[in-house]
């Protein structure tokens, strides 16, 4: 027994060493697996997907106004709160700081920017006039419809607003109070015709002071079932005809007259069809609202924004309204009068961040392809979906997206077909910068870099401009060129700071965009690229590419 014990003692250290070595081997294997996984993530992030974008240059499939971009200013007071958050501050038409240099410069940068003045409370606004009450009350919280009492627009404030709009070079669309003088009956149905006396006094005051108005819009979200109240389609058409008669009378000595717009509500095929048919001769633009992402309280907003199939579904109201207008034979044009994506003031750190540019620019591209003439973003400032920060007026990422669209994307829309790339969105227009075309590419993929070759059908060869194509060799996976011109492509790459799409800071071609100490909007400088190179779109990024040497019949 003693000898056995001694033998066990002799081999015990060796056994311990063996077990320790085995443990180290296992730990080493785990470390190797961990590093391999990390390396594989790096490979995924550097994954390159290739595809082709086919563009038909023979004819445009839609067209917009020259100034397609529009933004809104609302009436909500600071006490407007949603989901426990009060995001409006002093962004109301009644208290907005019109002396702020950033605000002024932000509007002037568009030269011009369409601005729609309106929103939920517009149908509870009274316009101060000589025949009205001397006092002009502010909105106060109450148990009434929309949660506030009736409010008032002092003419002194109307003067200040118009001086600002003139200085900024804005094109103003004003939303008139369509519920004035009316009662709301059972089922929230509005009873009786519109009492236009107060609106007419405002219009006459505006003309007498030489203030320029681009359009007068009647009512806000009173179409179909309505929000808070609803007006029957035939009555609304009658009210719009009445408004058109007022405009024609007040502006009878003007060669150019403001547009008459309506109803500023959510699309309802039956209601809109009847309304347009009965009011068509008096209605220059039919306006509808877009909040297709649901409430701002939704925790899955970003998932919806990054879902291509969900974005595709956003085309339905544009397609349906286009069909209604074609069927009616009316000359009325389609506008998006208000679009905030997520209702009830949006969602902080989503609808005011880089992530929202994916939805916003996709909406602009989609709307224009269905012949929408203007698209009014809710808001210029106010709520959690402003183009500008509510407190500082510093531009949010969507401001720069809107400004680039305004400067680069021309009126005529070209048909596109994108192959083999699920998470890439693509739109093409005639260029505003050149005689060529501008392409917008939106990469919704968090990991894959996309290289896109262009194939443009029905190009026009000229002495100074040759046709060029970029295409992918299926065998070699390389891009080649044909008849390359010396003209350089201009690219504008938008990315979020540190790649965080919840960031409110955006980079253009790798440089942060920010206003300077004097409130000046920064220049938007392109990167010049050899046109023989494919267009490369990094993960979670947006690219505008202006291609001057592609001439097509649609852009003549």
């Amino acid at each position: 027994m003693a000898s056995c014990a001694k033998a066990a003692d002799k081999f015990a250290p060796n056994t311990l060493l063996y077990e320790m070595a085995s443990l180290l081997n296992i730990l080493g294997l785990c470390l190797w697996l961990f590093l391999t996984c990390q390396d594989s993530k790096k490979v995924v992030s550097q994954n390159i997907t290739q595809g082709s974008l086919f563009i038909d240059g023979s004819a445009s499939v839609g067209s917009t106004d020259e100034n397609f971009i529009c933004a809104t200013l609302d009436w909500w007071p600071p006490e407007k709160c949603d989901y426990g958050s009060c995001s409006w501050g002093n962004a109301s038409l009644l208290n907005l700081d019109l002396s702020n240099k950033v605000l002024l410069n932000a509007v002037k940068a568009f030269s011009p920017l369409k601005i729609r003045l309106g929103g939920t409370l517009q149908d509870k606004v009274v316009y101060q006039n000589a025949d009205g009450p001397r006092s002009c009350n502010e909105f106060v919280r109450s148990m009434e419809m929309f949660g506030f009492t009736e409010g008032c627009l002092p003419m002194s404030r109307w003067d200040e607003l118009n001086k600002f709009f003139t200085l900024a070079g804005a094109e103003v669309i004003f939303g008139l109070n369509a519920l004035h003088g009316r009662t709301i009956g059972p089922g929230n149905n509005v009873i009786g015709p519109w009492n236009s006396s107060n609106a007419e006094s405002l219009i006459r005051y505006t003309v007498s002071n030489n203030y320029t108005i681009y359009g007068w819009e009647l009512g806000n979200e009173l179409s179909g079932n309505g929000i808070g109240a609803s007006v029957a389609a035939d009555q609304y058409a009658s009210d719009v005809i009445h408004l058109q008669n007022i405009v024609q009378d007040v502006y009878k000595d003007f060669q150019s007259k403001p547009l008459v717009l309506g109803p500023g509500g959510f699309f309802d095929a039956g209601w809109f069809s009847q309304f347009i048919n009965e009011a068509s001769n008096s209605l220059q633009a039919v306006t509808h609202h877009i909040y297709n992402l649901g409430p701002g309280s939704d925790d899955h907003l970003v998932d919806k924004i990054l879902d291509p199939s969900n974005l595709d579904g956003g085309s339905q109201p544009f397609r349906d309204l286009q069909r209604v207008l074609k069927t009616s034979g009316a000359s009325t044009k389609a506008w998006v009068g208000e679009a905030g994506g997520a209702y009830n003031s949006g969602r902080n750190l989503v609808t005011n961040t880089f992530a929202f540019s994916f939805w916003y620019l996709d909406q602009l591209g989609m709307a224009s392809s269905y012949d929408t003439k203007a698209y009014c973003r809710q808001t210029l400032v106010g709520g959690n979906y402003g183009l500008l920060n509510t407190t500082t007026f510093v531009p949010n990422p969507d401001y720069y997206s809107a400004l680039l669209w305004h400067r680069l994307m021309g009126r005529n829309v070209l048909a596109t077909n994108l192959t083999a790339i699920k998470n890439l969105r693509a739109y093409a227009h005639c260029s505003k910068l050149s005689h060529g075309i501008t392409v917008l590419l939106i990469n919704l993929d968090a990991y894959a870099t996309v290289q896109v070759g262009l194939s443009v059908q029905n190009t026009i060869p000229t002495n100074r401009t040759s046709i060029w194509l970029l295409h992918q060799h299926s065998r070699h996976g390389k891009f080649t060129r044909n008849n390359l011109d010396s003209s350089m492509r201009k690219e504008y790459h938008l990315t979020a700071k540190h790649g965080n799409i919840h960031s409110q800071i955006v980079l253009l071609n790798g440089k942060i965009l920010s206003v300077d100490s004097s409130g000046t909007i920064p220049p938007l400088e392109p990167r010049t690229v050899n046109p023989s190179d494919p267009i490369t779109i990094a993960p979670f990024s947006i690219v505008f590419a202006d291609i001057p040497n592609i001439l097509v019949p649609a852009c003549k």
Side-chain angles (χ1 to χ4, degrees):
M1 292 292 295
S3 61
C4 289
K6 288 180 180 179
D9 291 341
K10 179 179 178 181
F11 289 103
N14 292 335
T15 303
L16 181 62
L17 287 173
Y18 175 79
E19 291 177 350
M20 290 179 64
S22 298
L23 180 60
L24 286 173
N25 284 334
I26 293 171
L27 289 173
L29 178 61
C30 291
L31 178 60
W32 178 82
L33 288 171
F34 172 76
L35 293 174
T36 300
C37 290
Q38 292 302 106
D39 286 340
S40 69
K41 288 182 180 178
K42 291 179 182 177
V43 170
V44 170
S45 68
Q46 295 170 0
N47 178 45
I48 295 178
T49 302
Q50 296 178 338
S52 297
L53 176 62
F54 297 90
I55 300 173
D56 185 356
S58 60
S60 62
V61 295
S63 66
T64 70
D65 281 354
E66 184 68 21
N67 301 308
F68 177 63
I69 298 295
C70 170
T72 69
L73 288 173
D74 214 307
W75 294 97
W76 289 118
E79 295 78 20
K80 159 67 171 172
C81 304
D82 302 280
Y83 319 118
S85 173
C86 306
S87 59
W88 286 85
N90 291 325
S92 165
L93 285 163
L94 297 175
N95 58 26
L96 185 66
D97 181 7
L98 302 176
S99 66
N100 186 279
K101 290 182 180 179
V102 180
L103 176 63
L104 176 63
N105 291 334
V107 177
K108 289 178 73 172
F110 285 83
S111 299
L113 175 66
K114 285 186 173 76
I115 299 181
R116 181 248 189 179
L117 313 181
T120 300
L121 294 183
Q122 81 176 53
D123 290 313
K124 302 191 74 171
V125 177
V126 174
Y127 318 119
Q128 186 185 45
N129 60 67
D131 300 326
R134 293 183 179 180
S135 61
C136 202
N137 299 321
E138 297 181 353
F139 291 108
V140 177
R141 272 198 169 281
S142 74
M143 299 301 293
E144 298 178 21
M145 184 175 64
F146 308 134
F148 288 89
T149 62
E150 191 176 77
C152 177
L153 172 64
M155 286 303 95
S156 58
R157 181 59 176 180
W158 185 231
D159 294 338
E160 293 170 357
L161 286 164
N162 277 281
K163 288 175 184 176
F164 172 83
F165 296 138
T166 300
L167 184 61
E171 295 180 337
V172 176
I173 298 93
F174 188 89
L176 295 165
N177 178 350
L179 293 182
H180 185 69
R182 292 171 133 161
T183 57
I184 300 176
N188 292 330
N189 293 313
V190 173
I191 299 172
W194 174 48
N195 183 336
S196 64
S197 58
N198 191 226
E200 183 173 347
S201 71
L202 175 67
I203 295 172
R204 291 190 181 279
Y205 178 89
T206 300
V207 172
S208 68
N209 283 275
N210 297 315
Y211 299 146
T212 301
I213 299 295
Y214 190 86
W216 296 101
E217 183 181 29
L218 183 62
N220 182 82
E221 297 177 357
L222 302 174
S223 58
N225 292 328
I227 303 296
S230 63
V231 178
D234 58 345
Q235 180 60 62
Y236 217 123
S238 177
D239 296 338
V240 163
I241 292 169
H242 183 50
L243 173 58
Q244 170 73 352
N245 290 337
I246 293 172
V247 169
Q248 291 297 315
D249 179 54
V250 177
Y251 289 89
K252 59 180 177 292
D253 296 326
F254 291 74
Q255 184 174 359
S256 179
K257 298 176 176 59
L259 302 180
V260 169
L261 308 92
F266 294 101
F267 181 76
D268 176 295
W271 193 100
F272 269 65
S273 294
Q274 183 180 0
F275 171 66
I276 291 168
N277 285 330
E278 296 190 22
S280 61
N281 293 330
S282 298
L283 184 70
Q284 286 80 59
V286 57
T287 51
H288 65 115
H289 294 180
I290 303 289
Y291 287 91
N292 58 4
L293 295 174
S297 60
D298 189 347
D299 292 331
H300 302 288
L301 282 180
V302 173
D303 295 332
K304 291 181 178 179
I305 291 167
L306 297 177
D307 181 358
S309 61
N310 186 67
L311 294 179
D312 289 341
S315 67
Q316 193 67 44
F318 303 127
R319 183 186 300 112
D320 291 346
L321 180 54
Q322 184 183 55
R323 186 182 300 116
V324 167
L325 287 170
K326 285 183 177 179
T327 301
S328 72
S331 60
T332 305
K333 307 302 181 185
W335 279 41
V336 172
E338 181 182 314
Y343 57 82
N344 290 339
S345 306
R347 184 181 181 91
N348 189 35
L349 298 182
V350 176
T351 55
N352 51 10
T353 68
F354 184 83
F356 209 49
S357 278
F358 296 139
W359 176 85
Y360 179 39
L361 286 173
D362 192 71
Q363 275 279 301
L364 295 181
M366 196 176 291
S368 59
S369 67
Y370 286 99
D371 231 23
T372 304
K373 301 306 177 185
Y375 191 106
C376 300
R377 167 63 180 267
Q378 174 84 344
T379 59
L380 175 61
V381 57
N384 287 315
Y385 36 35
L387 296 178
L388 307 176
N389 182 281
T390 301
T391 304
T392 65
F393 299 107
V394 168
N396 286 322
D398 281 3
Y399 172 85
Y400 294 109
S401 295
L403 188 56
L404 280 170
W405 178 288
H406 176 75
R407 293 182 178 179
L408 300 174
M409 304 292 271
R411 294 186 60 190
N412 289 347
V413 186
L414 306 177
T416 60
N417 183 25
L418 190 63
T419 64
I421 310 174
K422 176 184 177 182
N423 290 324
L424 190 72
R425 317 287 288 181
Y427 299 95
H429 283 228
C430 297
S431 173
K432 260 191 183 179
L433 284 183
S434 67
H435 296 293
I437 66 174
T438 300
V439 175
L440 167 63
L441 298 161
I442 304 167
N443 188 357
L444 303 175
D445 198 296
Y447 302 108
T449 294
V450 183
Q451 289 185 337
V452 173
L454 300 183
S455 179
V456 184
Q457 300 173 330
N458 300 301
T459 55
I460 303 173
T462 68
N463 290 332
R464 66 179 181 82
T465 305
S466 60
I467 306 171
W468 60 272
L469 298 174
L470 293 172
H471 60 86
Q472 181 180 4
H473 279 303
S474 59
R475 180 178 298 179
H476 302 292
K478 295 180 180 179
F479 290 89
T480 63
R481 63 180 180 175
N482 294 329
N483 302 324
L484 179 62
D485 194 311
S486 60
S487 299
M488 299 295 284
R489 189 169 70 227
K490 298 178 178 65
E491 293 185 356
Y492 304 77
H493 293 249
L494 294 174
T495 54
K497 186 177 181 181
H498 301 315
N500 178 12
I501 62 173
H502 291 279
S503 175
Q504 293 177 311
I505 298 176
V506 62
L507 284 70
L508 174 61
N509 296 326
K511 296 181 179 179
I512 290 176
L513 291 173
S514 60
V515 297
D516 61 21
S517 57
S518 63
T520 302
I521 301 299
L524 305 180
E525 301 292 347
R527 171 194 303 171
T528 56
V529 180
N530 193 312
S532 66
D533 294 338
I535 301 175
T536 301
I537 311 99
F540 276 163
S541 75
I542 296 161
V543 177
F544 288 89
D546 182 75
I547 311 167
N549 59 342
I550 293 185
L551 304 184
V552 295
C555 301
K556 289 178 64 177

